[in-house]
Amino acid sequence: MTDDPESMHLEIAVSVHDAAWLDALGDLEQQARRAVSAVLRHLDVGVAPLEISLVFTDDSEQRGLNRDYRHKDSATNVLSFPNMDDADMTAPEGSPRLLGDVVLARETIAREAGEQNKSLADHTTHLLVHGTLHLLGYDHMKAAEAAEMEAVETEILAGLGIADPYAGDVAAAEARHG
């Protein structure tokens, strides 16, 4: 893959369900493109057209999604909804491959960023990377999977100039299990 995110043929549909995101981070689409592109470059996903949907919402909506889809009645920082499983990762010729949806909850992410002494921008980028990795099949349900996913996240974030979110930070490590 090239280093130019524009040449990746990446379509990002950004939906802002909580306008407070725009006050907190006015460059959401640019930040999102940078984070998602970094994941795709790092994993050498290829140059086929790709599409991802990003939803920037609040804790209330996120709690409903978490309850309805994960049977956990609480807000969480990020949810990922892959559109295709690993066996069907192709799309009709000329159509973008739909990776899925990543949904981020502003209040939870802002609270975590404060608790972890991180900027909202850096923590949001981390969770965009985390959510995109989920769309590509990464998980952290088992210790070995978590270690692999964290290592990949850390490498990608380092390439973006963001410190290791897991280095000596118990709260950050716990946050990934939202």
Side-chain angles (χ1 to χ4, degrees), residues 12 19 45-46 49 51 88 91 103 140 159 175 177:
I12 298 178
V45 171
E51 184 175 342
D88 187 23
V103 185
H140 47 75
H177 295 291

Side-chain angles (χ1 to χ4, degrees), residues 62-152:
Q62 189 82 322
R63 180 179 182 165
L65 291 169
N66 202 25
R67 180 187 59 240
D68 294 348
Y69 292 97
R70 295 180 66 222
H71 310 293
K72 295 183 178 188
D73 192 13
S74 61
T76 189
N77 50 20
V78 62
L79 291 170
S80 298
F81 300 97
N83 278 344
M84 299 178 186
D85 64 18
D86 290 340
D88 187 23
M89 290 299 281
T90 60
E93 190 169 331
S95 298
R97 187 175 95 194
L98 305 174
L99 295 179
D101 305 302
V102 176
V103 185
L104 296 101
R106 184 187 51 80
E107 296 100 331
T108 295
I109 293 171
R111 185 186 71 251
E112 290 173 351
E115 291 169 356
Q116 298 168 22
N117 294 319
K118 298 175 182 170
S119 74
L120 180 60
D122 284 357
H123 194 46
T124 300
T125 297
H126 171 213
L127 293 171
L128 285 163
V129 167
H130 184 90
T132 302
L133 286 172
H134 275 306
L135 296 183
L136 295 168
Y138 283 80
D139 207 345
H140 47 75
M141 298 304 289
K142 297 178 183 170
E145 293 172 337
E148 178 185 7
M149 188 171 182
E150 289 172 13
V152 172

